[in-house]
Amino acid sequence: MSLKSFVRELREMKDGIGSISKRGEEGSRHWRNQTMSHIAPDQVPSSSELIQQGRWANLPPELLLDIIRRVEQSETSWPARSVVVSCASVCRSWRAITKEIIRTPEQCGRLTFPISLKQPGPRESPFQFFIRRDRATSTYLLYFGMVPSEVKKDKLLLAAKRVRRAAGTDFIISLAADDFSRASSTYVGKLRSNFLGTKFSIYDSQPPCDPAAQQNSRSSRRFRSKQVSPRVPAFNYCVGTISYELNVLRTRGPRRMQCIMQTIPVSSIQEGGTAPTPTSFTYSIDDHLSTMSDSMRKGSAKDFSPKILSEPAVQDLDESLVLKNKAPRWHEQLQCWCLNFRGRVTVASVKNFQLVAAVDQSHNVSVEEQEKVILQFGKIGKDNFTMDYHYPLSAFQAFAICLSSFDTKPACE
């Protein structure tokens, strides 16, 4: 059987030649639904979910490894890369080998599983995505691709819904565009603002990779642990803060912002530095509880309300990566502030921004690294925006930062 015929058979396979788990069948329906993420759920079946191995699982490991490696190398972009996801959905042995072959976005510059959205982006060429805003439903959809396509069959990566509160605004971030329940397995995090819309907190549904950063992050319980499946994460971990500078004098110019990424050390942008890279989603509530301090655990036993369980610990800001606006220049002929977006932004807007690292000389960061644009966001249409990001940010973190630009900020303009 040739490689092309093998790939064709994988694409046509609906339920699989072998027996596929119930979770895999649900994932297949999600791929066919345009409102769902086109990236397969990266979930490990529990011991209660029995997966019967079919005759496809009896292939010699060396042959299977060679086949999947060739498929992975030939299908580098979406939607063709869905064939790689199909390989991981055949059975447990196929999934193990596929996950062994798949590398992180930092290493290969590709997205495959949902955990890729929580991993740092590539160091060289940035990921280029776009965001579509739906004013009627207050939703924001992140798609894979440089610009929206005419047929509107773009690959959905993340979705967010704005929810008004008395004290501010929440942006609930999910893998699905039709399920924003915080008790769902598609929930990945949220962005919360203060009353004025000048300060935002980024919350992740899973704990940081670094135990020290995890202890210093603010955590909140979202619901009673007995009300949901044990495979659904039960906490929100504060992984970053965004601050917009007040424009008291009402001067003209773009918004000024600063982002403190509490879980990304400044050493990640130094020569030879690395950023925290999660390898899988955390689904067990027990895993969350085991990583928390004893004091926090005692507090959670007394009260399961949605309030913050502990006050945020003050983290050493010298060790956290800080991002700031790249200073624009005033264009005399156009009579406006300008930034070089390299053709990715076509409409002038106060929402447009570029972020670079804010470091001092003691951090030993090269000038080239200091001038590199880590994240840029800009308008290309009435409800369409572009989002390009680099290492060490992940797609989830970059999307959360861009969402803060959509909130109303009368005190900053």
Side-chain angles (χ1 to χ4, degrees):
M1 179 184 294
S2 64
L3 179 61
K4 290 185 177 179
S5 60
F6 176 78
V7 171
R8 190 184 309 112
E9 187 168 347
L10 277 176
R11 287 177 174 171
E12 294 174 353
M13 181 174 57
K14 295 182 179 179
D15 298 328
I17 294 181
S19 299
I20 302 178
S21 66
K22 182 179 179 181
R23 195 75 184 180
E25 294 175 0
E26 293 177 355
S28 299
R29 290 194 296 269
H30 289 174
W31 306 333
R32 295 191 294 270
N33 189 345
Q34 293 185 12
T35 63
M36 302 293 290
S37 172
H38 282 58
I39 303 181
D42 185 20
Q43 298 183 357
V44 180
S46 63
S47 58
S48 61
E49 295 179 351
L50 301 178
I51 301 180
Q52 299 177 358
Q53 304 281 356
R55 65 184 179 93
W56 284 80
N58 298 325
L59 291 177
E62 296 80 7
L63 176 60
L64 183 58
L65 181 65
D66 181 64
I67 291 175
I68 298 179
R69 181 178 285 117
R70 292 191 181 197
V71 172
E72 195 274 336
Q73 292 175 354
S74 62
E75 311 297 346
T76 59
S77 61
W78 292 89
R81 197 161 176 80
S82 60
V83 176
V84 181
V85 178
S86 299
C87 291
S89 303
V90 173
C91 59
R92 184 178 297 174
S93 59
W94 280 57
R95 186 173 187 83
I97 293 179
T98 304
K99 293 181 68 175
E100 180 183 346
I101 294 175
I102 299 301
R103 294 177 295 170
T104 64
E106 178 188 352
Q107 297 170 332
C108 67
R110 303 167 189 167
L111 294 174
T112 307
F113 298 111
I115 193 61
S116 303
L117 303 174
K118 294 289 187 75
Q119 295 173 339
R123 291 178 179 263
E124 301 300 330
S125 300
F127 274 140
Q128 296 181 323
F129 301 150
F130 69 91
I131 300 174
R132 180 178 292 129
R133 174 176 57 183
D134 190 334
R135 298 174 184 265
T137 59
S138 299
T139 56
Y140 307 84
L141 307 180
L142 177 67
Y143 290 97
F144 185 92
M146 297 182 63
V147 293
S149 62
E150 297 180 357
V151 295
K152 294 185 178 181
K153 290 185 178 181
D154 303 298
K155 278 65 68 181
L156 177 67
L157 300 178
L158 290 171
K161 183 176 181 62
R162 183 168 61 180
V163 180
R164 298 285 187 180
R165 299 182 299 109
T169 304
D170 280 356
F171 289 86
I172 310 301
I173 305 176
S174 171
L175 292 172
D178 55 0
D179 185 3
F180 294 98
S181 171
R182 278 173 274 193
S184 171
S185 60
T186 61
Y187 173 82
V188 294
K190 70 177 180 179
L191 178 73
R192 169 166 289 185
S193 74
N194 63 354
F195 179 75
L196 294 177
T198 57
K199 292 184 178 181
F200 296 79
S201 297
I202 304 173
Y203 290 93
D204 198 335
S205 62
Q206 67 179 39
C209 297
D210 186 3
Q214 181 178 333
Q215 293 178 0
N216 290 333
S217 64
R218 183 160 72 176
S219 172
S220 66
R221 179 178 288 271
R222 296 189 278 119
F223 32 72
R224 294 179 183 271
S225 60
K226 295 182 180 180
Q227 292 179 344
V228 295
S229 167
R231 302 178 69 183
V232 178
F235 291 92
N236 283 313
Y237 294 87
C238 186
V239 297
T241 57
I242 308 167
S243 301
Y244 285 84
E245 184 177 326
L246 292 175
N247 189 2
V248 180
L249 300 179
R250 313 297 292 178
T251 57
R252 295 180 61 189
R255 297 170 178 168
R256 298 179 182 179
M257 60 188 297
Q258 183 185 71
C259 306
I260 301 177
M261 310 309 297
Q262 300 173 1
T263 58
I264 304 178
V266 70
S267 60
S268 63
I269 61 174
Q270 297 174 353
E271 185 176 359
T274 58
T277 305
T279 57
S280 62
F281 282 105
T282 303
Y283 295 102
S284 175
I285 291 178
D286 295 334
D287 293 339
H288 288 267
L289 292 175
S290 63
T291 55
M292 299 177 64
S293 63
D294 293 337
S295 60
M296 185 179 296
R297 191 178 306 171
K298 292 178 181 179
S300 63
K302 296 178 182 179
D303 185 10
F304 290 101
S305 62
K307 68 180 182 181
I308 300 300
L309 296 179
S310 64
E311 294 298 323
V314 178
Q315 208 172 19
D316 188 0
L317 298 183
D318 294 337
E319 300 299 328
S320 298
L321 177 65
V322 179
L323 304 178
K324 66 176 181 179
N325 281 89
K326 186 174 183 179
R329 62 180 181 86
W330 179 258
H331 199 290
E332 290 294 340
Q333 295 180 348
L334 299 177
Q335 289 296 300
C336 65
W337 295 96
C338 294
L339 283 170
N340 183 12
F341 287 94
R342 302 186 182 277
R344 290 285 289 154
V345 178
T346 57
V347 180
S349 173
V350 70
K351 296 180 175 64
N352 302 345
F353 66 80
Q354 289 181 329
L355 296 183
V356 296
V359 297
D360 53 38
Q361 296 181 353
S362 63
H363 290 142
N364 297 323
V365 178
S366 64
V367 177
E368 180 183 0
E369 199 68 30
Q370 295 181 35
E371 296 178 352
K372 179 184 293 185
V373 176
I374 297 178
L375 170 64
Q376 76 172 23
F377 171 79
K379 194 171 185 179
I380 58 174
K382 181 179 179 180
D383 292 306
N384 292 320
F385 304 81
T386 58
M387 185 192 88
D388 303 343
Y389 75 96
H390 264 290
Y391 168 93
L393 288 182
S394 66
F396 165 74
Q397 294 166 338
F399 185 46
I401 295 174
C402 293
L403 287 175
S404 68
S405 186
F406 289 107
D407 200 26
T408 305
K409 303 173 184 62
C412 304
E413 301 174 358

